[in-house]
Amino acid sequence: MLHELLLALLGFTGDFVLDNSSGRRRPEPAEAGGAGDGDVGPAFRLAPDLTFLQPSERSAIERLISLGFYYRELNRFATESRDLSWIQSSVEVSSPNADITLKGKVRKGSAYRRAIANGIAEILSVYRSAVLQVEQNLLSDPLPILATVTHGLNKFEVLLPPLYELVMEIEQKDIKGGQLLNLLHKRCHCGVPELQSCIQRLLWHGHQVMFNQLTSWMVYGILQDQYHEFFIRRQVDRDEENEPAQSDVADKFAQKLAKDTSLTSWHSGFHVSLDMLPDYIHMRVAESILFAGKAIRVLRNPSPGATLLEPTNQSQTLKGSHRMQGFTGGSGALKELPNFSNISAEELLPQAEADRVDAMLKQLKHASEFHKRLFESAVSSIRTIAANHLWQLVVVRADLNGHLKALKDYFLLAKGDFFQCFLEESRQLMRLPPRQSTAEADLIVPFQLAALKTIGDEDKYFTRVSLRMPLFGMKSSTSQKDLQKSNTSDISLHGKASSELALDGWHSIALEYSVDWPLQLFFTPDVLSKYRKVFQYLIRLKRTQMELEKSWTAVMHQDHVDFSDYCKDRKNSSATQLRRLRTKPFWRVREHMAFLIRNLQFYIQVDVIESQWNVLQTHVQDSHDFTELVTFHQDYLSALISQSFLDIGSVSRILDSIMKLCLQFCWSIEQYETGSNMFEIDHITEEFNKKSNSLYTILRSSRLAGSQRAPFLRQFLMRLNFNSFFETTARGVMNSGRLRPGTASTQL
């Protein structure tokens, strides 16, 4: 009977101890129900025919043998979780008929569950040692049997039942990964010191797996997570379940490998899985871990064709750039910077730094307990190391500031002489409707001529700039004449579509900038799209300003010719003199238009672009953190867009309408001959005054006064309203919305 009891304590039943679990069902994974249900309790019972036992003795023995049941179930869980024989079977069932053959019962592996099983095996080893000690004590002193057994195993009565409930919950709900760490972390908060120590030990084993994954990710940039348990997840892992099995999967995979994997991984390759993120790890910390791993991947996998500067030349400007040859719209490969195609990961991330990161993670891994503050501090330090080396790569080696200056020169029109020359060379072309098939090619010639006249040899970035003509916002037949003959009554309507507000068929002129590795990490497609949006706005504004100046020059030349004819023959030049008198009031209106456009252009170029550029340059010089630079650059672009009013639909539409009216006015004035044309000019003048007054009213509204635009906006309004002219007309004090030429002349 003694040996029956000892064997029962180790999970073996016989005639003395019976196992009533033969007809009971073991809970399947993901099955609902708690571990404390009646059908999953202790199944070991004493034989009913043991009549010589007293009720108190039977109760004490049944309480003891329940430990044997818990031991057996825990040992079963540990054995199954640590068994690796399923790996071969999982390979065999990878065929299309695997689900039918095994009826979906193929057990998935779990590194975290196997680690917890190792911890449970440790506890069970201590339990077996205690049973062995009890046996030795009974053999040396057989009396009293029951008291000796109870005394030797008493502490396990508070350990094994909760561990059994824990195991049942893990199996029933198929808990693994970060969810398993969450469960253990919650179970640690109990009032039983022995149980708390055991669960903390299990949590320690789970953290060993997590720290191994963190080391692989943050030291080597490799995601070791074959069971999808880590809180850093590949983006494709989330989508691959929805992809059907097709015959061209291998071809698609080969095409994916052909791309720059480091860039794909950086932008959309990985994400934080909230399902597997432990509750005691803050989302901010998880994002730092995500960034650090992605940065290490970039640093350890440099692009074979990387065009980088030597670190010693970071403050120098390379001379001797090639002149444009074989010009095709500004596109071409960069030839001015040396191509270090054999650059190694050791140069970008020294081994000493990788060892330092590894040492920090090992120190956390070997600690007896998980300390949240120390963990967050280590992650922050590792993130700083990765960000600094990424900054060294992008800012110093890849010459980030030079590219920022190039984008400012061309996308923000800082090279005003180049774009002035380009608009002059293409002025006659843009007065004709663009041809759908050749519009872009037609612009290459004036673009090339402007480059040859204004771009010097020292500009090594111009070869990265190319001119593009995307889809037209209006029909290709829209031109100068179409604008003049458009429905003038439609001009006053509100809520028009953006295509109707386009200046003409050439309004979609855009620039593209060729960016090489690793600058794609900084200049993402979204960033370049914002630059392109600002450029299209600025080039329309500059074109409008140039047309206002050119129209004044052309008509003044004609006016001088008419005046010369009048002086030569005063008797036969009455028609000429009458035309001169009738056109003078319209030039006052033109001055009003030019006044608004000039001030708007000055405000954007000086108050917005230059001031924000100086702020960005200060940040670039002071910061040594890549993520900070990305944030500063995003703030820079957001400020450009917001302070230029591109994010306010009502203001943007009014500005487009004003520029469109200015172009219509210029083209109508230059062809001023008939009375019907005069009526059209009067209507354009009236609409311009309405739009300009509406613009002033919106800009001085209280909603904009409290925004980040306020300081610079007030300067713009002060320039517009320096003599209270705009404020007076906006309030309707002056006579009607139509600008009186004489009054306008006085105010301007």
Short mmCIF file of all heavy atoms in Angstrom, two decimals, residues 511-556:
data_model
loop_
_atom_site.label_atom_id
_atom_site.label_comp_id
_atom_site.label_asym_id
_atom_site.label_seq_id
_atom_site.Cartn_x
_atom_site.Cartn_y
_atom_site.Cartn_z
N LEU A 511 7.43 68.15 -61.45
CA LEU A 511 8.81 67.71 -61.43
C LEU A 511 8.91 66.37 -60.72
O LEU A 511 8.11 66.06 -59.83
CB LEU A 511 9.72 68.72 -60.71
CG LEU A 511 9.97 70.07 -61.39
CD1 LEU A 511 10.94 70.88 -60.56
CD2 LEU A 511 10.49 69.89 -62.81
N GLU A 512 9.90 65.59 -61.10
CA GLU A 512 10.24 64.37 -60.40
C GLU A 512 11.71 64.42 -60.01
O GLU A 512 12.52 65.03 -60.70
CB GLU A 512 9.97 63.13 -61.26
CG GLU A 512 8.49 62.83 -61.43
CD GLU A 512 8.25 61.51 -62.14
OE1 GLU A 512 9.23 60.82 -62.47
OE2 GLU A 512 7.08 61.17 -62.35
N TYR A 513 12.02 63.76 -58.89
CA TYR A 513 13.39 63.77 -58.38
C TYR A 513 13.84 62.34 -58.16
O TYR A 513 13.20 61.57 -57.44
CB TYR A 513 13.46 64.56 -57.07
CG TYR A 513 14.86 64.90 -56.63
CD1 TYR A 513 15.57 65.93 -57.21
CD2 TYR A 513 15.47 64.16 -55.61
CE1 TYR A 513 16.86 66.24 -56.80
CE2 TYR A 513 16.76 64.47 -55.19
CZ TYR A 513 17.45 65.51 -55.78
OH TYR A 513 18.73 65.81 -55.38
N SER A 514 14.94 61.97 -58.78
CA SER A 514 15.47 60.62 -58.66
C SER A 514 16.28 60.49 -57.37
O SER A 514 17.22 61.24 -57.14
CB SER A 514 16.36 60.31 -59.87
OG SER A 514 16.99 59.05 -59.72
N VAL A 515 15.88 59.54 -56.53
CA VAL A 515 16.51 59.34 -55.23
C VAL A 515 17.07 57.93 -55.17
O VAL A 515 16.38 56.96 -55.50
CB VAL A 515 15.51 59.56 -54.08
CG1 VAL A 515 16.20 59.38 -52.74
CG2 VAL A 515 14.89 60.93 -54.18
N ASP A 516 18.31 57.80 -54.76
CA ASP A 516 18.96 56.50 -54.64
C ASP A 516 18.98 56.05 -53.19
O ASP A 516 18.69 56.82 -52.27
CB ASP A 516 20.41 56.57 -55.17
CG ASP A 516 20.46 56.87 -56.66
OD1 ASP A 516 19.48 56.50 -57.35
OD2 ASP A 516 21.43 57.49 -57.13
N TRP A 517 19.36 54.79 -53.00
CA TRP A 517 19.55 54.26 -51.66
C TRP A 517 20.72 54.98 -51.00
O TRP A 517 21.73 55.26 -51.66
CB TRP A 517 19.86 52.76 -51.76
CG TRP A 517 19.94 52.06 -50.44
CD1 TRP A 517 18.94 51.40 -49.80
CD2 TRP A 517 21.09 51.94 -49.60
NE1 TRP A 517 19.39 50.88 -48.60
CE2 TRP A 517 20.72 51.21 -48.46
CE3 TRP A 517 22.42 52.38 -49.68
CZ2 TRP A 517 21.60 50.91 -47.42
CZ3 TRP A 517 23.29 52.11 -48.64
CH2 TRP A 517 22.88 51.37 -47.54
N PRO A 518 20.65 55.34 -49.73
CA PRO A 518 19.57 55.06 -48.77
C PRO A 518 18.61 56.22 -48.57
O PRO A 518 17.88 56.25 -47.59
CB PRO A 518 20.37 54.81 -47.49
CG PRO A 518 21.50 55.80 -47.60
CD PRO A 518 21.85 55.89 -49.06
N LEU A 519 18.63 57.20 -49.47
CA LEU A 519 17.79 58.38 -49.29
C LEU A 519 16.31 58.07 -49.44
O LEU A 519 15.48 58.89 -49.03
CB LEU A 519 18.21 59.46 -50.29
CG LEU A 519 19.55 60.13 -50.00
CD1 LEU A 519 19.95 61.04 -51.13
CD2 LEU A 519 19.50 60.90 -48.69
N GLN A 520 15.97 56.89 -50.02
CA GLN A 520 14.55 56.53 -50.08
C GLN A 520 13.97 56.33 -48.68
O GLN A 520 12.75 56.39 -48.51
CB GLN A 520 14.33 55.26 -50.90
CG GLN A 520 14.63 55.42 -52.38
CD GLN A 520 15.98 54.86 -52.74
OE1 GLN A 520 16.90 54.88 -51.93
NE2 GLN A 520 16.11 54.32 -53.94
N LEU A 521 14.83 56.09 -47.70
CA LEU A 521 14.35 55.98 -46.33
C LEU A 521 13.82 57.31 -45.84
O LEU A 521 12.92 57.37 -44.99
CB LEU A 521 15.48 55.51 -45.40
CG LEU A 521 16.22 54.23 -45.79
CD1 LEU A 521 17.32 53.95 -44.78
CD2 LEU A 521 15.25 53.06 -45.86
N PHE A 522 14.37 58.39 -46.36
CA PHE A 522 14.00 59.74 -45.93
C PHE A 522 12.99 60.38 -46.90
O PHE A 522 11.97 60.90 -46.48
CB PHE A 522 15.26 60.60 -45.85
CG PHE A 522 15.07 61.91 -45.15
CD1 PHE A 522 15.20 62.00 -43.77
CD2 PHE A 522 14.77 63.06 -45.85
CE1 PHE A 522 15.01 63.21 -43.12
CE2 PHE A 522 14.59 64.27 -45.22
CZ PHE A 522 14.72 64.34 -43.84
N PHE A 523 13.30 60.30 -48.19
CA PHE A 523 12.43 60.88 -49.20
C PHE A 523 11.48 59.80 -49.71
O PHE A 523 11.71 59.18 -50.74
CB PHE A 523 13.23 61.47 -50.35
CG PHE A 523 14.12 62.61 -49.95
CD1 PHE A 523 15.50 62.50 -50.03
CD2 PHE A 523 13.59 63.79 -49.46
CE1 PHE A 523 16.33 63.54 -49.66
CE2 PHE A 523 14.41 64.84 -49.08
CZ PHE A 523 15.78 64.71 -49.18
N THR A 524 10.43 59.58 -48.97
CA THR A 524 9.44 58.57 -49.35
C THR A 524 8.55 59.10 -50.47
O THR A 524 8.55 60.31 -50.75
CB THR A 524 8.57 58.22 -48.14
OG1 THR A 524 7.84 59.40 -47.73
CG2 THR A 524 9.43 57.74 -46.98
N PRO A 525 7.79 58.25 -51.15
CA PRO A 525 6.87 58.75 -52.19
C PRO A 525 5.90 59.79 -51.66
O PRO A 525 5.55 60.74 -52.38
CB PRO A 525 6.15 57.47 -52.64
CG PRO A 525 7.12 56.37 -52.38
CD PRO A 525 7.86 56.77 -51.13
N ASP A 526 5.47 59.65 -50.42
CA ASP A 526 4.55 60.64 -49.85
C ASP A 526 5.24 61.99 -49.70
O ASP A 526 4.64 63.05 -49.95
CB ASP A 526 4.05 60.14 -48.50
CG ASP A 526 3.09 61.11 -47.84
OD1 ASP A 526 2.02 61.37 -48.43
OD2 ASP A 526 3.41 61.63 -46.75
N VAL A 527 6.50 61.99 -49.28
CA VAL A 527 7.25 63.24 -49.13
C VAL A 527 7.44 63.92 -50.48
O VAL A 527 7.20 65.13 -50.62
CB VAL A 527 8.61 62.95 -48.46
CG1 VAL A 527 9.54 64.16 -48.58
CG2 VAL A 527 8.42 62.59 -47.00
N LEU A 528 7.84 63.16 -51.49
CA LEU A 528 8.02 63.74 -52.82
C LEU A 528 6.70 64.23 -53.40
O LEU A 528 6.67 65.20 -54.17
CB LEU A 528 8.66 62.71 -53.75
CG LEU A 528 10.10 62.30 -53.38
CD1 LEU A 528 10.61 61.24 -54.35
CD2 LEU A 528 11.02 63.52 -53.40
N SER A 529 5.61 63.57 -53.05
CA SER A 529 4.30 64.02 -53.51
C SER A 529 3.96 65.40 -52.92
O SER A 529 3.38 66.25 -53.61
CB SER A 529 3.24 62.99 -53.12
OG SER A 529 1.95 63.44 -53.45
N LYS A 530 4.33 65.62 -51.67
CA LYS A 530 4.09 66.94 -51.06
C LYS A 530 4.94 68.01 -51.74
O LYS A 530 4.46 69.13 -51.98
CB LYS A 530 4.39 66.88 -49.56
CG LYS A 530 3.41 66.04 -48.77
CD LYS A 530 3.76 66.01 -47.29
CE LYS A 530 2.76 65.18 -46.51
NZ LYS A 530 3.09 65.12 -45.07
N TYR A 531 6.20 67.68 -52.02
CA TYR A 531 7.03 68.63 -52.75
C TYR A 531 6.42 68.95 -54.11
O TYR A 531 6.42 70.11 -54.55
CB TYR A 531 8.43 68.04 -52.95
CG TYR A 531 9.39 68.33 -51.81
CD1 TYR A 531 9.78 67.33 -50.93
CD2 TYR A 531 9.93 69.60 -51.64
CE1 TYR A 531 10.68 67.59 -49.90
CE2 TYR A 531 10.82 69.87 -50.62
CZ TYR A 531 11.18 68.87 -49.75
OH TYR A 531 12.06 69.13 -48.73
N ARG A 532 5.91 67.93 -54.78
CA ARG A 532 5.33 68.13 -56.10
C ARG A 532 4.08 69.02 -56.03
O ARG A 532 3.85 69.87 -56.90
CB ARG A 532 4.97 66.76 -56.70
CG ARG A 532 4.69 66.78 -58.20
CD ARG A 532 4.45 65.38 -58.70
NE ARG A 532 5.59 64.51 -58.44
CZ ARG A 532 5.57 63.49 -57.61
NH1 ARG A 532 4.46 63.18 -56.96
NH2 ARG A 532 6.64 62.74 -57.43
N LYS A 533 3.30 68.84 -54.98
CA LYS A 533 2.10 69.66 -54.80
C LYS A 533 2.46 71.13 -54.62
O LYS A 533 1.83 72.01 -55.24
CB LYS A 533 1.32 69.15 -53.59
CG LYS A 533 0.06 69.92 -53.28
CD LYS A 533 -0.64 69.33 -52.06
CE LYS A 533 -1.92 70.11 -51.74
NZ LYS A 533 -2.60 69.55 -50.54
N VAL A 534 3.46 71.41 -53.80
CA VAL A 534 3.88 72.79 -53.59
C VAL A 534 4.47 73.37 -54.88
O VAL A 534 4.22 74.54 -55.22
CB VAL A 534 4.91 72.86 -52.44
CG1 VAL A 534 5.42 74.29 -52.27
CG2 VAL A 534 4.28 72.37 -51.14
N PHE A 535 5.24 72.56 -55.62
CA PHE A 535 5.83 73.05 -56.87
C PHE A 535 4.75 73.46 -57.87
O PHE A 535 4.86 74.53 -58.51
CB PHE A 535 6.73 71.97 -57.49
CG PHE A 535 7.12 72.27 -58.91
CD1 PHE A 535 8.11 73.19 -59.19
CD2 PHE A 535 6.47 71.65 -59.97
CE1 PHE A 535 8.47 73.48 -60.49
CE2 PHE A 535 6.82 71.93 -61.28
CZ PHE A 535 7.82 72.86 -61.54
N GLN A 536 3.74 72.65 -58.04
CA GLN A 536 2.70 72.98 -59.01
C GLN A 536 1.99 74.28 -58.65
O GLN A 536 1.61 75.06 -59.52
CB GLN A 536 1.70 71.82 -59.10
CG GLN A 536 2.26 70.57 -59.76
CD GLN A 536 1.25 69.45 -59.82
OE1 GLN A 536 0.49 69.20 -58.88
NE2 GLN A 536 1.23 68.74 -60.94
N TYR A 537 1.85 74.50 -57.35
CA TYR A 537 1.23 75.75 -56.90
C TYR A 537 2.15 76.93 -57.18
O TYR A 537 1.72 77.98 -57.70
CB TYR A 537 0.94 75.62 -55.40
CG TYR A 537 0.44 76.87 -54.73
CD1 TYR A 537 -0.73 77.50 -55.15
CD2 TYR A 537 1.12 77.43 -53.66
CE1 TYR A 537 -1.20 78.64 -54.51
CE2 TYR A 537 0.67 78.56 -53.02
CZ TYR A 537 -0.49 79.16 -53.46
OH TYR A 537 -0.95 80.29 -52.84
N LEU A 538 3.43 76.79 -56.89
CA LEU A 538 4.37 77.89 -57.07
C LEU A 538 4.62 78.20 -58.54
O LEU A 538 4.76 79.37 -58.91
CB LEU A 538 5.70 77.56 -56.38
CG LEU A 538 5.67 77.46 -54.85
CD1 LEU A 538 7.04 77.07 -54.32
CD2 LEU A 538 5.21 78.77 -54.23
N ILE A 539 4.69 77.19 -59.39
CA ILE A 539 4.95 77.45 -60.80
C ILE A 539 3.76 78.14 -61.45
O ILE A 539 3.92 78.99 -62.35
CB ILE A 539 5.31 76.13 -61.54
CG1 ILE A 539 5.97 76.45 -62.89
CG2 ILE A 539 4.10 75.25 -61.73
CD1 ILE A 539 7.31 77.10 -62.77
N ARG A 540 2.54 77.82 -61.00
CA ARG A 540 1.37 78.54 -61.52
C ARG A 540 1.41 80.00 -61.07
O ARG A 540 1.08 80.91 -61.84
CB ARG A 540 0.08 77.87 -61.03
CG ARG A 540 -0.15 76.50 -61.58
CD ARG A 540 -1.60 76.07 -61.45
NE ARG A 540 -2.11 76.15 -60.09
CZ ARG A 540 -2.11 75.15 -59.22
NH1 ARG A 540 -1.59 73.99 -59.57
NH2 ARG A 540 -2.61 75.30 -58.02
N LEU A 541 1.81 80.20 -59.82
CA LEU A 541 1.88 81.56 -59.30
C LEU A 541 2.95 82.37 -60.04
O LEU A 541 2.72 83.53 -60.42
CB LEU A 541 2.19 81.51 -57.80
CG LEU A 541 2.15 82.84 -57.05
CD1 LEU A 541 0.76 83.45 -57.10
CD2 LEU A 541 2.57 82.63 -55.59
N LYS A 542 4.10 81.77 -60.29
CA LYS A 542 5.16 82.48 -60.99
C LYS A 542 4.79 82.75 -62.44
O LYS A 542 5.10 83.81 -63.00
CB LYS A 542 6.46 81.68 -60.92
CG LYS A 542 7.66 82.44 -61.48
CD LYS A 542 8.96 81.75 -61.16
CE LYS A 542 10.14 82.60 -61.61
NZ LYS A 542 10.21 83.87 -60.86
N ARG A 543 4.09 81.80 -63.06
CA ARG A 543 3.66 82.01 -64.44
C ARG A 543 2.66 83.16 -64.52
O ARG A 543 2.70 83.99 -65.44
CB ARG A 543 3.04 80.72 -64.98
CG ARG A 543 2.62 80.84 -66.45
CD ARG A 543 1.84 79.65 -66.89
NE ARG A 543 1.33 79.83 -68.24
CZ ARG A 543 0.34 79.13 -68.77
NH1 ARG A 543 -0.24 78.19 -68.05
NH2 ARG A 543 -0.06 79.37 -69.99
N THR A 544 1.76 83.22 -63.54
CA THR A 544 0.79 84.31 -63.51
C THR A 544 1.49 85.65 -63.35
O THR A 544 1.18 86.63 -64.04
CB THR A 544 -0.21 84.11 -62.36
OG1 THR A 544 -0.85 82.84 -62.51
CG2 THR A 544 -1.26 85.19 -62.35
N GLN A 545 2.46 85.72 -62.44
CA GLN A 545 3.21 86.96 -62.23
C GLN A 545 3.96 87.37 -63.49
O GLN A 545 4.00 88.55 -63.86
CB GLN A 545 4.17 86.75 -61.05
CG GLN A 545 5.00 87.98 -60.69
CD GLN A 545 6.38 87.95 -61.32
OE1 GLN A 545 6.87 86.89 -61.69
NE2 GLN A 545 6.98 89.13 -61.45
N MET A 546 4.54 86.39 -64.19
CA MET A 546 5.29 86.70 -65.40
C MET A 546 4.35 87.20 -66.51
O MET A 546 4.69 88.14 -67.24
CB MET A 546 6.05 85.47 -65.88
CG MET A 546 7.00 85.74 -67.03
SD MET A 546 7.51 84.26 -67.92
CE MET A 546 5.99 83.85 -68.78
N GLU A 547 3.17 86.59 -66.63
CA GLU A 547 2.23 87.03 -67.67
C GLU A 547 1.76 88.46 -67.41
O GLU A 547 1.58 89.24 -68.36
CB GLU A 547 1.03 86.08 -67.71
CG GLU A 547 1.32 84.72 -68.32
CD GLU A 547 1.64 84.82 -69.81
OE1 GLU A 547 1.26 85.81 -70.44
OE2 GLU A 547 2.29 83.90 -70.33
N LEU A 548 1.57 88.80 -66.14
CA LEU A 548 1.17 90.17 -65.83
C LEU A 548 2.27 91.16 -66.22
O LEU A 548 1.98 92.25 -66.75
CB LEU A 548 0.86 90.30 -64.34
CG LEU A 548 -0.45 89.64 -63.86
CD1 LEU A 548 -0.52 89.62 -62.34
CD2 LEU A 548 -1.66 90.37 -64.44
N GLU A 549 3.52 90.79 -66.00
CA GLU A 549 4.62 91.67 -66.37
C GLU A 549 4.80 91.72 -67.89
O GLU A 549 5.02 92.80 -68.47
CB GLU A 549 5.92 91.17 -65.72
CG GLU A 549 5.89 91.16 -64.19
CD GLU A 549 5.71 92.54 -63.61
OE1 GLU A 549 6.09 93.52 -64.27
OE2 GLU A 549 5.17 92.65 -62.48
N LYS A 550 4.69 90.56 -68.53
CA LYS A 550 4.87 90.52 -69.98
C LYS A 550 3.76 91.28 -70.71
O LYS A 550 4.01 91.94 -71.73
CB LYS A 550 4.91 89.06 -70.46
CG LYS A 550 6.15 88.29 -70.03
CD LYS A 550 7.40 88.82 -70.71
CE LYS A 550 8.61 87.99 -70.35
NZ LYS A 550 9.85 88.51 -70.99
N SER A 551 2.54 91.16 -70.22
CA SER A 551 1.44 91.87 -70.88
C SER A 551 1.64 93.38 -70.78
O SER A 551 1.36 94.13 -71.72
CB SER A 551 0.11 91.47 -70.24
OG SER A 551 0.08 91.85 -68.87
N TRP A 552 2.15 93.82 -69.62
CA TRP A 552 2.44 95.26 -69.47
C TRP A 552 3.52 95.69 -70.46
O TRP A 552 3.38 96.72 -71.14
CB TRP A 552 2.91 95.51 -68.04
CG TRP A 552 3.47 96.88 -67.81
CD1 TRP A 552 4.78 97.25 -67.79
CD2 TRP A 552 2.73 98.07 -67.57
NE1 TRP A 552 4.91 98.60 -67.55
CE2 TRP A 552 3.66 99.13 -67.41
CE3 TRP A 552 1.37 98.36 -67.48
CZ2 TRP A 552 3.27 100.44 -67.17
CZ3 TRP A 552 0.98 99.66 -67.23
CH2 TRP A 552 1.92 100.69 -67.08
N THR A 553 4.54 94.90 -70.63
CA THR A 553 5.63 95.25 -71.56
C THR A 553 5.13 95.30 -73.00
O THR A 553 5.43 96.25 -73.75
CB THR A 553 6.76 94.22 -71.44
OG1 THR A 553 7.22 94.17 -70.09
CG2 THR A 553 7.92 94.58 -72.36
N ALA A 554 4.36 94.29 -73.39
CA ALA A 554 3.89 94.22 -74.78
C ALA A 554 2.96 95.37 -75.12
O ALA A 554 3.10 96.01 -76.18
CB ALA A 554 3.19 92.87 -75.02
N VAL A 555 2.02 95.65 -74.26
CA VAL A 555 1.04 96.69 -74.57
C VAL A 555 1.65 98.08 -74.44
O VAL A 555 1.28 99.00 -75.17
CB VAL A 555 -0.20 96.52 -73.67
CG1 VAL A 555 -1.23 97.61 -73.96
CG2 VAL A 555 -0.81 95.14 -73.88
N MET A 556 2.58 98.25 -73.50
CA MET A 556 3.27 99.54 -73.42
C MET A 556 4.08 99.81 -74.69
O MET A 556 4.19 100.95 -75.15
CB MET A 556 4.19 99.56 -72.20
CG MET A 556 3.46 99.77 -70.88
SD MET A 556 2.56 101.35 -70.78
CE MET A 556 0.88 100.80 -71.17
#
